[in-house]
Amino acid sequence: MQETILILDFGSQYTQLIARRLRELNVYCEIHPWNKVPFIGNDIKGVILSGSPFSVRDENSPKPDLSSIKGKLPLLGVCFGAQYLAHHFGGDVQASKTREYGRAILSFVDNDSPLLHHVKSNSQVWMSHGDTIKKIPDNYRLICSTQDVEFAGYEVRDEQTYAIQFHPEVYHTEFGAQILKNFVVNICKCSQSWTPDSFIDVTVSDLRQKIGSDKVIMGLSGGVDSSVAATLLHRAIGQNLYCVFVDNGLLRKDEFESVLESYRGLGLNVKGVNAKQEFYDALKDEKDPEKKRKIIGSKFIDIFDRESKLFSDAKWLGQGTIYPDVIESVSATGGPSATIKSHHNVGGLPAYMKLQVVEPLRLLFKDEVRRVGRALEIPEAIIGRHPFPGPGLGIRILGDITEEKVRILQEVDHIFISGLKAANLYNDVWQAGAILLPVQSVGVMGDERTYENAVALRAVSSTDGMTADWCHLPYEFLAKISNEIINGVKGINRVTYDISSKPPATIEWE
């Protein structure tokens, strides 16, 4: 059995970061909605209660059933989780006079708590809450405070139940990783055995058991995710995997031919399908970003359905869905978190399509996918590629899509990405691309007035795509690329650089 830490999601923006920090400790974890607690078997080593946008004082706030958990398994409440464990079991939680958000300095009240081993007093922590705990139940013991928050941390006597008002999962909390390690390793006794190799072994075994001798049709995108997912499936079921790589007319310049060749080099059974015109026709005159995403996703499904019928006994559709796709599309796991945007590969298949979905990477973050890919010995030319959105250039062309706009953006993108590689900047960037803006601007070219298109260049640094900072590319490099684009791409007379971070912006513009 896979040792697992269960994270109950109350809708916090930071819930996924808890999972990321535990994975960095080589501890497997899963996020589940607070109101859909799975069976607590021997594989569950401990439970973490997340933060939440709700107040425990609200009538409609989450009220989890902890009867099979509290006092029976190690339990850690974070922010809302800490307030719930105090409020529900006899303490007092009130609205803060001022919103407690940002940095605070932690001081110890009880140095003996196993949750705080190797954590230094007077270290920085990160607060983000509107309520504060005024009183804890009688059998609870205070372990740490800050200047403004008396009950910054506590534990329950004669139980392995702990709670902290601050967020250990964010980088602003200096000893946050140590606190989480104290909980999952020292208290929950996790062995830290969840590695890329162990993931591969377990996943391949599970795929063989799940799929058996059935045939799988796999939609390839050319990116890291689908490449790793296909390789895992190929290792599990061999030639029963049939891969389809669709040219939707929204790929990068010359990408269809080069990627198709690289897949064949991996030994995959792959077929290329030219469906450019089908996508252009389906997207004609559509400007709404969400509708474009859904059209592209629907058209992919149509094509895969058509291709699957060439293999009359195919029963599964393989996809390279990863955790951030799921999180942004529907919330972390169907819980109360907000939907950010739709992803073309999330949400299931239409009823008419008689295929089941298999997603080997559904619970992995992007950096974990790369580590698994390297363990599978997939060439670095594939594993090291920047992420590229499933809808492709369709969501980097703001407004309606035409073949001419695609041509223009492909040329711009090619100059930008090639320039990053030539300047040895490509590996310093997590994701880069160009966006064709739905505006024209006045320019002067050859002493003549022009009124042509503007593009925005985007380059970000990130670990997992959940948060991202814009890259400080050298001015000289940006000037050179801007000059090459304006001189080399007919229809462009202005280049801008996007210096927005995520949040509040997203990496893509649509």
Side-chain angles (χ1 to χ4, degrees):
M1 291 185 295
Q2 176 69 62
E3 294 179 341
T4 302
I5 296 294
L6 175 63
I7 302 171
L8 296 188
D9 177 22
F10 297 97
S12 168
Q13 61 179 317
Y14 297 135
T15 302
Q16 294 76 37
L17 288 180
I18 300 175
R20 287 292 305 115
R21 302 301 168 249
L22 299 195
R23 301 281 185 87
E24 289 169 358
L25 294 167
N26 292 332
V27 173
Y28 181 69
C29 59
E30 292 182 359
I31 300 173
H32 290 265
W34 66 269
N35 55 353
K36 295 181 181 179
V37 180
F39 173 74
I40 305 297
N42 293 332
D43 57 325
I44 305 296
K45 308 295 286 184
V47 178
I48 296 177
L49 307 180
S50 82
S52 176
F54 290 97
S55 164
V56 296
R57 299 175 296 107
D58 293 342
E59 182 178 348
N60 296 324
S61 66
K63 296 176 178 61
D65 179 4
L66 301 179
S67 58
S68 62
I69 298 171
K70 186 175 179 295
K72 300 174 182 178
L73 284 174
L75 177 63
L76 173 63
V78 175
C79 196
F80 175 91
Q83 293 171 359
Y84 179 82
L85 290 173
H87 174 77
H88 186 72
F89 292 97
D92 183 30
V93 176
Q94 297 294 330
S96 303
K97 292 182 179 179
T98 58
R99 179 169 170 79
E100 295 167 327
Y101 184 86
R103 295 170 176 82
I105 301 300
L106 194 69
S107 61
F108 291 169
V109 176
D110 184 348
N111 288 344
D112 293 331
S113 174
L115 190 68
L116 300 179
H117 283 181
H118 306 296
V119 176
K120 292 183 179 180
S121 186
N122 297 318
S123 61
Q124 177 180 283
V125 297
W126 185 262
M127 294 286 187
S128 180
H129 58 101
D131 288 345
T132 192
I133 300 168
K134 292 294 187 181
K135 178 180 178 295
I136 55 177
D138 293 340
N139 64 325
Y140 286 28
R141 181 173 64 181
L142 179 65
I143 60 175
C144 59
S145 303
T146 67
Q147 182 177 350
D148 297 322
V149 179
E150 179 183 2
F151 297 102
Y154 60 80
E155 62 185 24
V156 180
R157 291 183 174 88
D158 302 320
E159 285 185 21
Q160 289 184 307
T161 298
Y162 307 85
I164 47 180
Q165 181 61 78
F166 54 91
H167 288 271
E169 66 272 25
V170 301
Y171 285 118
H172 304 83
T173 297
E174 289 184 77
F175 288 88
Q178 182 64 52
I179 290 172
L180 291 173
K181 182 179 180 181
N182 288 340
F183 180 69
V184 299
V185 177
N186 300 338
I187 297 172
C188 298
K189 305 300 182 184
C190 291
S191 62
Q192 296 182 275
S193 59
W194 195 70
T195 63
D197 287 329
S198 70
F199 173 82
I200 292 168
D201 292 341
V202 170
T203 302
V204 169
S205 176
D206 288 347
L207 289 171
R208 285 173 179 160
Q209 184 175 7
K210 181 177 185 178
I211 297 170
S213 59
D214 294 345
K215 289 183 171 58
V216 178
I217 183 170
M218 174 79 194
L220 297 176
S221 69
V224 177
D225 305 332
S226 65
S227 300
V228 174
T231 303
L232 283 167
L233 282 163
H234 183 256
R235 182 170 290 194
I237 63 173
Q239 292 304 305
N240 278 346
L241 173 67
Y242 297 91
C243 297
V244 177
F245 181 41
V246 176
D247 185 357
N248 60 1
L250 304 170
L251 300 174
R252 284 174 158 150
K253 183 179 179 180
D254 300 328
E255 188 171 44
F256 181 63
E257 294 78 11
S258 62
V259 171
L260 196 59
E261 188 61 32
S262 69
Y263 280 140
R264 288 174 176 148
L266 289 174
L268 296 178
N269 183 8
V270 59
K271 175 186 178 181
V273 177
N274 186 337
K276 289 181 183 180
Q277 199 57 51
E278 289 185 60
F279 280 87
Y280 291 154
D281 291 345
L283 289 163
K284 184 176 175 60
D285 297 327
E286 184 56 67
K287 298 180 180 180
D288 181 83
E290 277 293 284
K291 290 181 180 178
K292 286 196 295 184
R293 284 177 173 271
K294 292 183 187 305
I295 289 169
I296 292 168
S298 176
K299 183 54 63 177
F300 268 121
I301 294 296
D302 289 344
I303 292 169
F304 292 144
D305 183 47
R306 186 175 69 210
E307 292 298 319
S308 70
K309 290 175 181 175
L310 301 178
F311 309 99
S312 58
D313 50 354
K315 295 182 179 179
W316 299 85
L317 173 67
Q319 292 192 151
T321 309
I322 64 171
Y323 213 7
D325 297 343
V326 178
I327 292 165
E328 290 192 330
S329 292
V330 293
S331 89
T333 51
S337 300
T339 298
I340 305 301
K341 58 189 176 186
S342 296
H343 285 265
H344 78 285
N345 56 347
V346 177
L349 299 176
Y352 68 81
M353 193 170 185
K354 307 303 181 184
L355 293 175
Q356 301 177 74
V357 174
V358 57
E359 299 167 315
L361 309 177
R362 187 177 178 85
L363 292 179
L364 292 191
F365 290 91
K366 177 69 75 173
D367 58 316
E368 295 173 320
V369 175
R370 292 189 196 280
R371 290 201 295 270
V372 168
R374 291 186 175 102
L376 288 167
E377 298 184 343
I378 297 174
E380 192 63 30
I382 295 177
I383 293 301
R385 292 186 67 194
H386 288 175
F388 189 64
L393 301 181
I395 57 170
R396 292 182 176 177
I397 297 172
L398 306 194
D400 66 313
I401 296 169
T402 66
E403 194 166 358
E404 175 62 11
K405 288 180 180 179
V406 171
R407 181 200 67 77
I408 290 173
L409 190 56
Q410 283 179 333
E411 294 295 336
V412 172
D413 179 88
H414 180 69
I415 291 172
F416 186 30
I417 299 300
S418 298
L420 286 170
K421 291 177 178 178
N424 293 319
L425 293 170
Y426 186 82
N427 292 331
D428 296 333
V429 174
W430 192 77
Q431 183 171 345
I435 298 90
L436 184 63
L437 304 181
V439 296
Q440 285 75 46
S441 66
V442 173
V444 178
M445 302 176 75
D447 293 329
E448 293 184 3
R449 179 186 184 277
T450 63
Y451 192 62
E452 294 182 331
N453 299 290
V455 292
L457 305 182
R458 179 82 156 136
V460 299
S461 60
S462 182
T463 300
D464 50 37
M466 297 305 300
T467 61
D469 291 321
W470 62 278
C471 289
H472 294 245
L473 297 177
Y475 289 150
E476 296 79 10
F477 169 79
L478 291 173
K480 179 175 182 293
I481 294 300
S482 174
N483 188 59
E484 289 182 10
I485 290 171
I486 290 173
N487 286 320
V489 183
K490 182 176 176 57
I492 299 295
N493 70 354
R494 189 177 300 271
V495 176
T496 66
Y497 187 57
D498 183 351
I499 58 170
S500 307
S501 295
K502 175 185 179 179
T506 54
I507 295 175
E508 300 296 339
W509 280 43
E510 289 192 341

